[in-house]
Amino acid sequence: MKKIVFLLILLLVCIFVCACFNDRDITNDNTDALTELSDSETESESAMSEIPVELFSVEIKQESLQTDSYIANMIYPQISGYSDKETEEKVNALIYSYVNNKRKTFISQTGADSVVYYDIDSFNVTYKSDKLISALCRGTITVEGSSIETAFSYGINIDFISAKLIGLDSIVDYKNFEKDFTNGSFVQTSGYKNLLEETNFKDIISQYNALYSIYPEFYIKQSENGVALGVITDTVQVLGNVAEFEGDVTDKGYMTKYFKDLIS
């Protein structure tokens, strides 16, 4: 009889111990699952926080102008949705004014007595942030009665903080930039295919002169490595009229503090 009682007690103890181990395993499994879920949610929230907020929208506007001396088909960017409406209006006015002044300059430079056809083919925003917008314009000019088509390009760069146009000399130490360009640090991205076989970097940049504040057109561009500077230079008709070059300037010592502040 004592043996039977002892065996029953031993059996009950075994059942109790097994139940405790099972409870512990279930608890640990649930804890691990909850931990994994919590980590997943944290990673998801972190990823969402890294998604950049759209600072403003850019719309490409179209406009046609016609007089007795020219027909102009223009496109140009305008922004909307910027947090500061006064700045938004100033920036849009600056862009429109700049585009119109370029049109007047290019048309007058033809010196044509016949009708001039002025066409902007593309206007691409190459960089935008809460401090800076940069865009690259490309187009062509033809004169009635002539088969020659003249290409042109220019950049427009605006400081949002002060709502003003940015000059090349304000973002580079021009003397050292010129040396870097001459040494071939920039790569041709558009223009006459064999340009660098018929001329060289030194001759291309030598037509500009910091002493007389004559600088090439430029634009700023987001690149894979950081920030690139696009340089637009004039060439003679047989060499395509205009050429574009780009170079990564993220770590260039000749970029000014003002530039670094703009892209920070």
Side-chain angles (χ1 to χ4, degrees):
M1 182 69 178
K2 288 182 179 179
K3 283 185 176 181
I4 293 173
V5 172
F6 175 77
L7 289 172
L8 286 172
I9 292 171
L10 184 61
L11 179 61
L12 289 171
V13 169
C14 290
I15 292 171
F16 177 77
V17 170
C18 289
C20 288
F21 273 108
N22 286 339
D23 285 344
R24 188 185 66 182
D25 290 341
I26 291 171
T27 302
N28 285 343
D29 288 344
N30 287 341
T31 301
D32 290 343
L34 288 171
T35 301
E36 290 174 6
L37 179 60
S38 177
D39 289 343
S40 175
E41 288 175 348
T42 302
E43 290 172 5
S44 177
E45 289 173 1
S46 176
M48 288 177 66
S49 67
E50 292 173 2
I51 297 173
V53 177
E54 186 70 13
L55 300 168
F56 51 85
S57 299
V58 179
E59 182 181 358
I60 300 297
K61 299 282 188 179
Q62 293 183 319
E63 184 175 356
S64 295
L65 302 172
Q66 184 170 350
T67 68
D68 292 338
S69 58
Y70 68 83
I71 297 174
N73 294 306
M74 301 197 304
I75 58 175
Y76 55 91
Q78 293 282 268
I79 69 167
S80 62
Y82 190 68
S83 57
D84 186 333
K85 289 300 176 185
E86 184 178 353
T87 297
E88 180 182 295
E89 290 175 3
K90 287 181 179 178
V91 168
N92 284 334
L94 268 175
I95 294 172
Y96 186 73
S97 175
Y98 194 79
V99 170
N100 265 316
N101 286 335
K102 283 292 184 184
R103 171 183 57 79
K104 294 173 183 176
T105 299
F106 284 132
I107 290 175
S108 66
Q109 285 176 345
T110 64
D113 295 327
S114 303
V115 175
V116 176
Y117 297 90
Y118 177 88
D119 295 287
I120 294 179
D121 302 319
S122 64
F123 219 134
N124 298 315
V125 175
T126 54
Y127 192 100
K128 71 172 185 173
S129 70
D130 59 342
K131 298 178 183 178
L132 165 70
I133 184 170
S134 183
L136 169 62
C137 173
R138 292 183 180 134
T140 56
I141 297 176
T142 55
V143 177
E144 189 175 51
S146 172
S147 60
I148 297 174
E149 185 177 76
T150 302
F152 66 83
S153 298
Y154 64 84
I156 182 167
N157 308 275
I158 297 176
D159 177 344
F160 267 91
I161 305 302
S162 55
K164 68 176 184 180
L165 291 166
I166 300 167
L168 182 61
D169 57 329
S170 68
I171 65 168
V172 301
D173 171 353
Y174 190 78
K175 183 177 180 180
N176 287 314
F177 154 75
E178 186 179 30
K179 186 184 298 182
D180 193 42
F181 187 90
T182 300
N183 289 337
S185 293
F186 284 69
V187 177
Q188 185 182 352
T189 55
S190 181
Y192 182 58
K193 183 179 179 181
N194 300 321
L195 177 66
L196 292 171
E197 295 176 10
E198 301 190 31
T199 184
N200 56 61
F201 285 103
K202 183 176 181 180
D203 287 345
I204 289 169
I205 204 69
S206 65
Q207 62 187 301
Y208 303 99
N209 193 316
L211 181 63
Y212 298 104
S213 298
I214 302 172
Y215 303 104
E217 292 280 342
F218 73 98
Y219 58 93
I220 297 161
K221 182 179 179 180
Q222 195 75 49
S223 70
E224 292 181 0
N225 300 320
V227 181
L229 179 65
V231 181
I232 305 165
T233 63
D234 295 325
T235 63
V236 295
Q237 178 74 45
V238 293
L239 296 182
N241 299 120
V242 67
E244 297 167 17
F245 302 85
E246 288 182 8
D248 193 293
V249 293
T250 307
D251 299 319
K252 295 292 185 180
Y254 55 72
M255 303 308 293
T256 64
K257 181 180 182 301
Y258 173 59
F259 174 79
K260 293 172 184 176
D261 289 342
L262 280 174
I263 64 169
S264 65

